[in-house]
Amino acid sequence: QVQLVESGGGLVQPGGSLRLSCAASGLIFSHYAMSWYRQAPGKERELVTTSNSGGGNTNYADSVKGRFTGSRDNAKNTVYLQMNSLKPEDTAVYYCNAKKVVGGRVDYWGQGTQVTVSS
């Protein structure tokens, strides 16, 4: 079965850093574009960034440009989100998404990991 498991969330002070990871299993990782989304209470889920199957990240949300960096390690079937200079407005549940780009259209979602930025 396909599983996406996010980890690395937690409580961090404003200005701090956190690295999220999403480990994928049960799929051919290189066939999927991987994305990070986040959703704060009462708000719509928003795209944070996407890594294509070749490993390049695109589509950084304006609110995180210059602070967040997505990366992809196909050998480990894992994507990461390095978050620096965190702000309280970054508080949200962060979700990993896998979108198949080879052989058909299908999406998978992780369960999410909570990131709370507070002093």
Side-chain angles (χ1 to χ4, degrees):
Q1 272 192 329
V2 172
Q3 283 195 310
L4 304 176
V5 181
E6 301 97 334
S7 61
L11 176 64
V12 65
Q13 292 183 322
S17 297
L18 209 60
R19 190 179 77 155
L20 307 183
S21 64
C22 172
S25 61
L27 52 75
I28 301 175
F29 193 65
S30 62
H31 289 184
Y32 290 80
M34 303 295 296
S35 297
W36 288 99
Y37 288 78
R38 68 183 183 183
Q39 187 168 27
K43 295 185 177 181
E44 295 291 317
R45 187 173 298 186
E46 66 172 344
L47 176 66
V48 177
T49 187
T50 295
S51 65
N52 61 39
S53 60
N57 273 76
T58 60
N59 302 322
Y60 285 100
D62 289 342
S63 58
V64 308
K65 287 180 179 177
R67 299 188 299 118
F68 290 12
T69 303
S71 60
R72 180 184 186 122
D73 189 338
N74 284 347
K76 296 182 178 180
N77 283 18
T78 302
V79 292
Y80 305 92
L81 185 65
Q82 179 66 47
M83 305 184 293
N84 299 324
S85 301
L86 282 161
K87 304 174 180 179
E89 65 199 67
D90 296 318
T91 296
V93 178
Y94 285 71
Y95 295 93
C96 181
N97 168 267
K99 183 176 183 178
K100 200 168 189 291
V101 297
V102 176
R105 294 183 176 89
V106 64
D107 289 280
Y108 299 100
W109 291 88
Q111 81 289 345
T113 185
Q114 177 71 48
V115 172
T116 302
V117 184
S118 176
S119 60

